[in-house]
Amino acid sequence: MEAIAALADPTRRQLVDLLSHGELAAGELAGRFPVSRPAISRHLRVLREAGLVTSRGEGRRRLYALDPRPLRELDEWLEPYRDLWAQRLDALDTEIARGRRARQGGDPR
């Protein structure tokens, strides 16, 4: 579950989001953030060590791509909790509907 720790940082989440659209060079990624290139390089290293991204050299460029496997593992781990949230959101929806009916003069039950 190294992916959870790696994704705790908002910059790394943004990097993953950018890479979800396709492979990008390190320089292209760094150019999209208001931090130094070495800082982005460190973030990419953390993502790579967590298995979330892969890298390959192409000439002088280093290209990064998203590896979705750790995200699938995280998704599978979260699955049992979805029902819990779905039930709570359904209950919230019911309460909102009751409030609307009450404001409109309908039956508050």
Side-chain angles (χ1 to χ4, degrees):
M1 283 291 173
E2 289 180 44
I4 291 175
L7 293 171
D9 184 90
T11 300
R12 290 194 284 267
R13 288 193 304 270
Q14 286 181 293
L15 286 164
V16 167
D17 185 51
L18 289 169
L19 291 171
S20 72
H21 303 289
E23 188 176 63
L24 289 169
E28 292 174 86
L29 290 165
R32 297 182 186 207
F33 293 89
V35 296
S36 68
R37 286 179 185 255
I40 294 301
S41 180
R42 287 189 295 274
H43 284 299
L44 288 167
R45 185 183 74 235
V46 170
L47 292 171
R48 195 175 60 250
E49 289 173 356
L52 288 161
V53 301
T54 60
S55 68
R56 66 180 181 88
E58 184 179 89
R60 294 178 51 183
R61 297 177 356 144
R62 172 108 352 235
L63 297 169
Y64 287 85
L66 181 65
D67 185 343
R69 288 178 295 182
L71 294 175
R72 279 190 217 112
E73 292 170 9
L74 182 57
D75 183 56
E76 290 169 8
W77 182 80
L78 288 169
E79 182 60 35
Y81 303 100
R82 284 194 183 91
D83 288 340
L84 172 72
W85 283 107
Q87 291 168 6
R88 291 181 179 182
L89 291 172
D90 287 345
L92 177 61
D93 188 46
T94 299
E95 291 303 316
I96 290 170
R98 282 183 186 158
R100 284 188 189 126
R101 283 193 303 269
R103 283 192 304 277
Q104 295 171 354
D107 184 4
R109 286 184 253 157

